[in-house]
Amino acid sequence: MFENLSERLSGVFGRLTKQGALSNEDVVTALREVRIALLEADVSLPVARDFIKSVESKATGQNVTKSVTPGQQVVKIVHDELVAMLTGTGTDENLKIDHPPSPILMVGLQGSGKTTTSAKLAKRLRDKDNKRVLMASLDVNRPAAMEQLQILGSQIGIDTLPIVKGEDPLTIAKRAKTQAALGGYDVYLLDTAGRLHIDHELINQAAAIRDIVKPRETLLVVDGLTGQDAVNVATEFNDKIGVSGVILTRMDGDGRGGAALSMRAVTGQPIRFVGVGEKVDALETFEPERIAGRILGMGDIVALVEKAQETIEAQQAEKMMKRFQKGQFNMNDLKLQLEQMMKMGGMESIMGMMPGAAKMAKQASEAGMDDKVFKRQIALINSMTKKERANPQILQASRKKRVAIGSGMEVSELNKLLKMHRQMSDVMKKMGRGGMLKQAMRGMFGKGADLENFNPKNMDAKDLEKAAKQLGGSLPSGKLPGLGLPPGLSGLGKRK
């Protein structure tokens, strides 16, 4: 969603950082471009104006212009201000679900994704916070709205309030409150009805439900693609009902992202979560610092680590780590790594989170290096015998021809795969021989760490981010082993 804004800002800051010295005029000119980029991204005018004013006051002083790296200083100031704008002040970012059964009221316009988001949030509360959740639909207007929530509940294993035809929303809310108390639930989610636009009936109904259940949280679900109007919707709901947080949906879409940047500043309420896909687990916490880093092209290693933690299998990782320490790396290891990348969202998703790799991800996509490359490489490995996977060096002309025909590929593609494997194998041997891998692992887990029996699920994201940067900096040619990048992307991490 922030792709266009990120490209514009990267261009502005790219020009700044190339200059050895900066005058105040250079900074002011660059910030004028930043303001245009923000406005084009649908950021509210007062928010963009305040943001630029705040950055300008800090970026045009002696400390910046006399700095050793003035361009980098300006980028840091913009980053810090972006974080401040997204964070706001004085609001607890955690959901108040400490007194069971805690009611959470979901409000918003029709079509913003309230019902799906309710299911996503319920699943998250159960899986991440270990809460017992009950869902209830109060939408008696939209056809099959109640049945939709019931089906979603059965798919993810979350209890839903039984449907009683003919009941009005207030009666359903009272029944949900009683059921949650009697059933021993920690949280109950109330999915209210929406309209195509804000009207008195919608507001009054939501206010009446609020007065009955006295929710611990009132979450406004807003479609991230509605741009500036999303901010108006949030302001209206906040004034009339009182909103404690916002959930932005469709953040994986091609909207311009300005609503997300304006929302916090205009409403004063935090953005709690963002919907990043149609699947029921596609709900992420809104982390201002990480979002700011991604907008400015600084990557998001913590998110990359978290994705790895969610998809990595402990036994496989342990087995692979022991092999890596011995400098061993065969086709089975490469296949595991390629499959791991696919599970983590593919090359574009991973490179988008790596510092400085966003541009490269776009170049790779334009050159046709997408996730199909990985699928073809896995197909080639699957066509090999067990012996060939364990010892790729025995693959001579006749064997290569058989493997290529078996996978429906050309021999040239197999040669590229073998070359990539050799390069990665060399890196692994160097790391294993020099103890570089153990050193990086100790950086993650501490000096007394038991590297033989580690569990990747127990990794601390912050420590791992630090170790990942340390490891990345010490690799030959700045390569990151194990990512299985296709040939042509080996310069990853190099400075221009």
Side-chain angles (χ1 to χ4, degrees):
M1 172 167 266
F2 296 111
E3 195 176 300
N4 290 339
L5 178 61
S6 183
E7 275 182 27
R8 285 291 303 270
L9 294 181
S10 296
V12 174
F13 295 134
R15 289 193 293 276
L16 272 186
T17 49
K18 279 175 189 170
Q19 290 176 242
L22 290 181
S23 66
N24 284 348
E25 288 73 29
D26 293 330
V27 176
V28 170
T29 306
L31 290 181
R32 194 178 297 125
E33 287 186 54
V34 171
R35 185 176 64 187
I36 294 167
L38 290 172
L39 293 174
E40 282 181 356
D42 247 351
V43 175
S44 166
L45 178 61
V47 173
R49 194 182 286 143
D50 292 346
F51 177 78
I52 294 299
K53 198 182 290 180
S54 180
V55 172
E56 197 172 327
S57 65
K58 292 172 184 171
T60 51
Q62 289 285 317
N63 291 341
V64 169
T65 51
K66 300 291 181 191
S67 164
V68 179
T69 55
Q72 297 287 0
Q73 288 283 88
V74 174
V75 175
K76 185 184 183 308
I77 290 167
V78 171
H79 176 265
D80 292 346
E81 285 302 312
L82 205 50
V83 172
M85 180 170 82
L86 291 169
T87 307
T89 52
T91 314
D92 184 14
E93 300 297 322
N94 298 316
L95 291 176
K96 301 185 196 75
I97 45 175
D98 43 358
H99 300 299
S102 300
I104 296 180
L105 193 63
M106 308 290 282
V107 298
L109 298 183
Q110 192 172 310
S112 58
K114 280 193 308 301
T115 305
T116 311
T117 303
S118 298
K120 287 179 180 179
L121 182 58
K123 186 178 186 298
R124 187 182 179 87
L125 289 171
R126 183 195 62 194
D127 296 348
K128 303 257 179 178
D129 300 316
N130 205 23
K131 301 291 181 187
R132 192 157 175 258
V133 187
L134 174 72
M135 298 192 295
S137 174
L138 311 184
D139 192 347
V140 295
N141 301 324
R142 183 166 65 88
M146 291 180 161
E147 286 79 3
Q148 183 191 351
L149 192 69
Q150 194 175 52
I151 290 166
L152 284 167
S154 64
Q155 283 175 355
I156 58 176
I158 299 283
D159 294 341
T160 52
L161 191 72
I163 298 170
V164 177
K165 295 293 181 185
E167 279 189 342
D168 63 88
L170 298 181
T171 310
I172 300 170
K174 288 173 187 171
R175 189 157 58 88
K177 186 178 180 182
T178 309
Q179 176 78 22
L182 295 175
Y185 291 94
D186 298 310
V187 180
Y188 63 103
L189 286 168
L190 300 174
D191 176 27
T192 63
R195 300 286 186 281
L196 292 175
H197 57 88
I198 295 171
D199 58 24
H200 292 299
E201 190 186 346
L202 167 65
I203 295 292
N204 293 339
Q205 190 184 89
I209 294 165
R210 176 201 63 197
D211 295 340
I212 287 171
V213 299
K214 295 183 173 51
R216 296 287 288 151
E217 294 280 355
T218 302
L219 300 177
L220 173 65
V221 182
V222 181
D223 187 340
L225 297 181
T226 49
Q228 274 308 291
D229 200 45
V231 179
N232 300 333
V233 169
T235 308
E236 188 75 15
F237 270 97
N238 195 33
D239 292 345
K240 300 288 183 0
I241 299 172
V243 172
S244 62
V246 177
I247 299 179
L248 281 173
T249 61
R250 302 194 206 179
M251 290 294 280
D252 56 325
D254 56 1
R256 290 176 288 184
L261 301 181
S262 308
M263 196 71 73
R264 181 68 200 248
V266 173
T267 64
Q269 301 306 328
I271 300 170
R272 304 282 195 185
F273 302 100
V274 288
V276 290
E278 290 296 319
K279 291 184 180 175
V280 218
D281 55 357
L283 189 74
E284 292 181 0
T285 50
F286 186 81
E287 303 280 357
E289 199 159 318
R290 285 153 58 172
I291 293 286
R294 284 165 92 163
I295 290 171
L296 296 178
M298 295 174 180
D300 186 356
I301 287 183
V302 179
L304 186 60
V305 165
E306 284 176 354
K307 271 201 173 186
Q309 283 177 315
E310 284 168 16
T311 57
I312 203 164
E313 290 182 26
Q315 285 183 331
Q316 281 186 356
E318 189 180 339
K319 189 177 169 186
M320 199 180 282
M321 187 55 63
K322 286 176 181 173
R323 289 178 53 74
F324 287 176
Q325 284 173 11
K326 293 174 187 171
Q328 296 172 343
F329 186 79
N330 63 24
M331 282 294 176
N332 291 317
D333 300 316
L334 178 56
K335 184 188 170 190
L336 279 174
Q337 297 243 316
L338 292 170
E339 287 172 342
Q340 177 67 21
M341 277 193 78
M342 297 292 287
K343 281 184 196 171
M344 288 169 65
M347 183 164 68
E348 196 174 340
S349 170
I350 291 169
M351 289 180 76
M353 294 178 200
M354 289 168 60
K359 282 183 184 175
M360 206 169 286
K362 196 174 179 186
Q363 288 167 4
S365 179
E366 286 169 1
M369 293 180 191
D370 53 17
D371 294 342
K372 289 176 188 170
V373 173
F374 298 142
K375 288 177 184 173
R376 289 201 294 270
Q377 289 174 339
I378 291 168
L380 282 164
I381 296 170
N382 285 339
S383 293
M384 297 174 192
T385 63
K386 285 184 181 178
K387 191 177 177 183
E388 287 165 349
R389 284 185 218 176
N391 305 291
Q393 60 271 17
I394 67 170
L395 282 163
Q396 299 306 324
S398 59
R399 287 179 185 262
K400 284 183 182 178
K401 196 173 178 182
R402 192 204 75 246
V403 170
I405 292 169
S407 59
M409 310 283 169
E410 298 291 329
V411 174
S412 59
E413 290 191 74
L414 177 58
N415 287 333
K416 284 180 188 174
L417 176 69
L418 291 170
K419 185 182 176 184
M420 184 178 87
H421 170 264
R422 278 197 303 274
Q423 289 172 342
M424 291 172 71
S425 184
D426 289 344
V427 172
M428 290 300 166
K429 279 173 187 167
K430 283 178 189 173
M431 289 174 71
R433 203 181 301 131
M436 201 187 295
L437 196 61
K438 281 190 178 181
Q439 195 180 335
M441 296 301 287
R442 287 206 172 91
M444 295 177 202
F445 309 114
K447 285 183 181 176
D450 178 11
L451 300 182
E452 300 298 318
N453 302 302
F454 85 99
N455 185 346
K457 300 282 183 188
N458 300 329
M459 297 176 188
D460 181 79
K462 294 288 180 189
D463 290 342
L464 198 46
E465 178 188 14
K466 184 178 165 188
K469 285 178 179 172
Q470 176 191 331
L471 185 60
S474 57
L475 289 176
S477 307
K479 291 175 187 172
L480 293 173
L483 285 182
L485 295 177
L489 292 182
S490 55
L492 192 60
K494 283 184 184 176
R495 288 181 175 274
K496 288 187 178 177

